[in-house]
Amino acid sequence: MKYPPSLVALIRELSRLPGIGPKSAQRLAFHLFEQPREDIERLAGALLAAKSELHTCPVCFNITDAERCDVCSDPSRDQGVICVVEEPGDVIAIERSGEYRGLYHVLHGVLSPMNGVGPERLHIRPLLPRVREGMEVILATGTTVEGDATALYLQRLLEPLGAVVSRIAYGLPVGGALEYADEVTLGRALSGRRRVSETPAPRPREDEGSGPTPSPQ
């Protein structure tokens, strides 16, 4: 059975999306066909609006619809630290943690010679003028081979500029059991261990009563 040309074209375009194979694209195409026309028009309008209104921030290359992104235009952010990430989605993930208040720089990829991605394909060169002596640069690329290679490449570029270069810690996930961790993850968790801060002894509760203090013998 041959599909109509318009359906074939829709499946072909959907299969070009990352993570969408031919079968997933086919299911999405049939799903979209069954939706009301106004839903499809709303989806198409959102796609067109995003394409026309969104662009990359000229400073950090995050996605924004303003002249500069919210982070770069916020004077309350810590101007002495930059977190380098692979993709705009990584910025959202880090912001969601609530643990970081510095600046960002988005590379839009990682070094991958096998796929023809060299330094000139990434936003590496614009990062260098942003780095001042004594500034901390956090390399938050992924723990893949390409991510580690990109972090090492950036380290060699940034340290001669006087930057304090750090790498995000990685290891066991919260709630994870040791027996389910792979060897590489467990090894990195061990090598990246840190000393546990000493905690003060708990103070006695009022309802426990102190009682008479024994006199020394």
Side-chain angles (χ1 to χ4, degrees), residues 148-191:
D148 284 339
T150 304
L152 179 60
Y153 180 85
L154 291 172
Q155 177 186 352
R156 292 172 176 173
L157 283 180
L158 297 171
E159 285 183 339
L161 301 178
V164 179
V165 182
S166 59
R167 186 85 163 96
I168 56 170
Y170 40 81
L172 297 175
V174 174
L178 292 182
E179 61 179 311
Y180 300 118
D182 63 89
E183 294 85 352
V184 175
T185 299
L186 188 55
R188 287 176 171 176
L190 287 170
S191 62

Side-chain angles (χ1 to χ4, degrees), residues 3-209:
Y3 287 153
S6 57
L7 181 59
V8 172
L10 177 59
I11 295 173
R12 184 188 306 117
E13 293 304 316
L14 290 172
S15 64
R16 294 174 60 187
L17 297 174
I20 303 297
K23 290 186 178 180
S24 297
Q26 180 175 302
R27 287 195 297 268
L28 286 172
F30 285 123
H31 172 77
L32 292 172
F33 173 75
E34 294 172 355
Q35 303 309 301
R37 182 181 181 88
E38 55 269 22
D39 289 355
I40 301 302
E41 291 177 344
R42 185 165 56 251
L43 173 60
L47 290 171
L48 292 173
K51 185 61 179 177
S52 62
E53 297 174 10
L54 298 177
H55 58 88
T56 56
C57 173
V59 179
C60 72
F61 298 95
N62 191 16
I63 294 178
T64 182
D65 59 356
E67 183 178 351
R68 296 202 306 172
C69 72
D70 291 342
V71 174
C72 290
S73 57
D74 185 355
S76 68
R77 305 289 298 210
D78 186 349
Q79 305 294 308
V81 56
I82 297 178
C83 182
V84 180
V85 298
E86 296 179 15
E87 302 291 349
D90 300 332
V91 174
I92 298 175
I94 294 175
E95 286 293 287
R96 195 162 51 235
S97 74
E99 296 293 328
Y100 180 71
R101 288 295 300 168
L103 305 175
Y104 291 96
H105 191 87
V106 184
L107 298 174
H108 286 268
V110 288
L111 295 175
S112 180
M114 294 288 292
N115 295 318
V117 181
E120 69 283 350
R121 295 276 299 274
L122 306 178
H123 294 294
I124 293 177
R125 186 177 297 274
L127 170 64
L128 305 183
R130 302 183 63 194
V131 177
R132 306 185 306 273
E133 185 172 357
M135 170 182 280
E136 181 183 7
V137 180
I138 304 171
L139 303 179
T141 54
T143 58
T144 61
V145 173
E146 294 83 0
D148 284 339
T150 304
L152 179 60
Y153 180 85
L154 291 172
Q155 177 186 352
R156 292 172 176 173
L157 283 180
L158 297 171
E159 285 183 339
L161 301 178
V164 179
V165 182
S166 59
R167 186 85 163 96
I168 56 170
Y170 40 81
L172 297 175
V174 174
L178 292 182
E179 61 179 311
Y180 300 118
D182 63 89
E183 294 85 352
V184 175
T185 299
L186 188 55
R188 287 176 171 176
L190 287 170
S191 62
R193 67 189 183 278
R194 60 181 180 180
R195 185 174 180 177
V196 178
S197 302
E198 294 183 1
T199 55
R203 304 173 70 177
R205 296 182 305 177
E206 294 181 0
D207 58 353
E208 290 179 344

